[in-house]
Amino acid sequence: MATLAVNGGGGAAAATHTKAYLEGKAVKETRLLISELCRQFYTLGWVSGTGGSITVKVHDDSIPKPQQLILMSPSGVQKERMEPEDLYVLSGNGTMLSSPSPKPYPHKPPKCSDCAPLFMKAYEKRDAGAVIHSHGIESCLVTMINPMSKEFRITHMEMIKGIKGHGYYDELVVPIIENMAYENELTDSLAKAIDAYPKATAVLVRNHGIYVWGDSWINAKTQRCIVLDIEGITTPISFVSEVLSPYARDNVGKHLSVTYDTAETQDDIKLLRSQVEDDLKQGVAGAVPIPPRDAGKEEVIAALVANVDAMIKADRKITALKQLQGHIWRTGFESNELEGEVFDDVPEALEKWHSLGTKVYIYSSGSRLAQRLIFGNSNYGDLRKYLSGFFDTAVGNKRETRSYVEITNSLGVDKPSEILFVTDVYQEATAAKAAGLEVVISIRPGNGPLPENHGFKTINSFAEI
């Protein structure tokens, strides 16, 4: 095995170029790991013969990730017979530091993987810790379903949850690039795909295979999320209390009268009837009986208006009210009577997180329809392209721990602590923390007071996240 100790440079990077480091424990363990993974991938059918390749960075907490050494499998070696000494060692910038010694016939002269330039793009553009190139038959077949498609999309598939930041209901999008005669000719198109799809953790090559990367070999083999409330976090509380709520209250009668016979409104009325029946049993103030439908449209609407008015004044976070409000607000947004409002720091933060591949979700007591309306018609334009999903009270009350457990299960993260929840309400923060989420409390103009010594980190702007 030929080892080149490179002099020059300084600091942590130079330390990794010494012969002692190149032959040290961390490099040896990574060599063993890659040869073991190659055998496993061969058994799985992910690599076959000399096809496919893998590269892993030598993890060392004392070395900044961009400067960590890179180990790559060679070209022309049967993957199931890969030995630790067969691997190449490169510096963080791709300079060759160590290469394997030649083996006798019938082995070919050693050569670093033809995938090296593509691997380096994933390291440079995604700060990856490992990259795998597979020729698995499944990755070829999905590119052949539609020969003209430039991407593969899939949703409602259980194993999507294994890809960081994705849940069962999310859509996974993987770009497809066209194959070329030689592997290194794919470098530019792979780089362009990585730039064009900032959330992607893989690129498919038509009729060829797939390149997939992650923070470590575990993440590359399988593959943090932010969950935001709206009121007092992305949007001033005054927008809800002084704009949205009065609009819904002032237009509820008109909306019900115009849409009374539609299936959507009848479903809204059914939910309200059920809620009012419970309220009457519990003696909730402001609840009045709703006549049966055959009592006449005007009488039913009058009772509904009275109940909705009481619910809005009490600021109740209940699905029956929020669903109806969402439908009323939709009319307002469509007629340009309403425009969503977000704080000035929100668009920039959403765009930044999106470019970094961080999934952002909304969890609000307002209906999912209302959430989409606010962000789709905001004072900064349509911001929905930066959001990966919406949760409302259908997932549970925001002050109950089980609601955050359900969200965690839906997002498919390995641990609840991989989710950051941003709220302005102490009780919600406590519930989310009990479910294992990381929590920060938003301090915005108009937000309510917090208990002394509440124990949570606070922020005044998304720039602090």
Side-chain angles (χ1 to χ4, degrees):
M1 180 170 59
T3 300
L4 174 65
V6 180
N7 295 318
T16 65
H17 297 174
T18 65
K19 183 177 180 181
Y21 191 91
L22 292 171
E23 297 178 357
K25 180 181 178 181
V27 174
K28 286 182 177 179
E29 289 181 344
T30 309
R31 287 180 178 274
L32 287 166
L33 170 67
I34 293 178
S35 59
E36 177 190 345
L37 289 174
C38 283
R39 289 191 291 273
Q40 290 184 7
F41 292 172
Y42 174 82
T43 302
L44 291 168
W46 292 2
V47 297
S48 57
T50 63
S53 191
I54 181 172
T55 175
V56 178
K57 284 200 171 187
V58 179
H59 179 73
D60 186 332
D61 289 327
S62 67
I63 308 296
K65 194 172 182 181
Q67 299 173 12
Q68 291 174 357
L69 295 184
I70 298 168
L71 267 64
M72 285 188 191
S73 59
S75 176
V77 176
Q78 304 292 319
K79 295 301 181 290
E80 74 275 19
R81 301 180 65 85
M82 183 83 65
E83 298 293 340
E85 60 267 23
D86 292 330
L87 299 167
Y88 284 81
V89 183
L90 290 74
S91 68
N93 64 10
T95 302
M96 189 69 67
L97 301 179
S98 176
S99 59
S101 301
K103 292 184 177 182
Y105 180 85
H107 297 282
K108 296 180 179 180
K111 177 186 175 184
C112 190
S113 173
D114 291 331
C115 306
L118 292 90
F119 287 156
M120 292 307 299
K121 289 298 180 184
Y123 284 134
E124 293 166 9
K125 292 179 174 291
R126 284 291 183 271
D127 195 26
V131 193
I132 298 166
H133 174 45
S134 168
H135 288 180
I137 187 65
E138 299 88 349
S139 58
C140 292
L141 289 174
V142 296
T143 67
M144 299 164 67
I145 296 172
N146 182 353
M148 304 302 293
S149 177
K150 298 300 182 184
E151 55 190 26
F152 172 70
R153 293 176 173 265
I154 189 169
T155 185
H156 290 72
M157 179 64 70
E158 177 66 18
M159 288 309 294
I160 289 178
K161 295 193 297 186
I163 300 174
K164 189 173 183 179
H166 287 72
Y168 176 73
Y169 298 104
D170 290 325
E171 183 176 51
L172 173 67
V173 182
V174 184
I176 301 173
I177 62 175
E178 300 302 324
N179 193 27
M180 304 291 282
Y182 299 98
E183 199 90 32
N184 58 11
E185 294 177 348
L186 296 169
T187 306
D188 288 344
S189 53
L190 179 99
K192 291 176 182 178
I194 291 175
D195 290 336
Y197 291 81
K199 290 185 179 181
T201 56
V203 173
L204 286 157
V205 184
R206 197 180 312 279
N207 304 331
H208 182 147
I210 190 170
Y211 284 84
V212 57
W213 56 86
D215 294 335
S216 68
W217 68 270
I218 295 175
N219 285 341
K221 185 168 173 282
T222 54
Q223 246 307 193
R224 173 175 143 127
C225 306
I226 299 176
V227 177
L228 306 171
D229 195 354
I230 295 180
E231 288 184 69
I233 292 84
T234 67
T235 300
I237 287 180
S238 58
F239 175 71
V240 177
S241 61
E242 298 174 11
V243 178
L244 290 183
S245 291
Y247 185 90
R249 183 181 63 242
D250 295 345
N251 288 276
V252 61
K254 176 183 176 182
H255 174 82
L256 291 172
S257 180
V258 172
T259 65
Y260 188 79
D261 293 318
T262 65
E264 180 180 83
T265 295
Q266 284 301 312
D267 183 54
D268 292 344
I269 293 173
K270 181 180 178 181
L271 274 177
L272 285 166
R273 283 186 184 277
S274 178
Q275 182 65 55
V276 171
E277 288 173 6
D278 289 343
D279 291 349
L280 289 169
K281 291 176 183 177
Q282 297 175 26
V284 175
V288 298
I290 300 174
R293 185 172 183 179
D294 56 14
K297 173 180 175 179
E298 300 305 324
E299 289 185 45
V300 173
I301 291 177
L304 288 167
V305 170
N307 280 288
V308 169
D309 185 63
M311 292 174 180
I312 292 175
K313 287 179 179 177
D315 192 26
R316 298 183 65 184
K317 313 293 186 182
I318 49 178
T319 301
L321 172 63
K322 297 303 180 181
Q323 180 172 300
L324 175 63
Q325 285 179 317
H327 294 148
I328 296 172
W329 293 330
R330 180 178 60 198
T331 301
F333 281 107
E334 289 177 347
S335 64
N336 295 320
E337 294 179 84
L338 293 174
E339 180 184 66
E341 182 180 351
V342 298
F343 289 109
D344 293 341
D345 60 291
V346 171
E348 182 179 354
L350 292 179
E351 183 177 8
K352 174 185 175 182
W353 295 332
H354 181 269
S355 68
L356 293 173
T358 302
K359 293 273 190 173
V360 181
Y361 299 84
I362 302 298
Y363 179 30
S364 171
S365 57
S367 68
R368 287 181 296 175
L369 170 61
Q371 297 171 29
R372 290 193 293 267
L373 290 169
I374 291 172
F375 289 102
N377 303 272
S378 84
N379 50 327
Y380 282 90
D382 191 346
L383 300 175
R384 291 174 298 178
K385 60 187 175 183
Y386 302 127
L387 303 174
S388 297
F390 303 87
F391 296 96
D392 59 15
T393 51
V395 79
N397 189 291
K398 292 172 65 185
R399 300 190 180 197
E400 296 180 0
T401 297
R402 61 184 178 89
S403 304
Y404 301 93
V405 173
E406 182 62 31
I407 289 175
T408 299
N409 292 335
S410 297
L411 297 188
V413 295
D414 294 329
K415 299 178 292 185
S417 59
E418 293 179 359
I419 303 173
L420 174 66
F421 178 54
V422 187
T423 181
D424 66 319
V425 179
Y426 172 73
Q427 292 86 347
E428 294 175 4
T430 302
K433 182 180 179 181
L437 279 68
E438 293 291 324
V439 182
V440 298
I441 293 182
S442 172
I443 307 295
R444 300 281 199 180
N447 286 12
L450 295 169
E452 290 187 18
N453 303 316
H454 54 74
F456 290 98
K457 177 183 177 181
T458 62
I459 59 169
N460 295 282
S461 165
F462 281 2
E464 299 175 43
I465 298 179

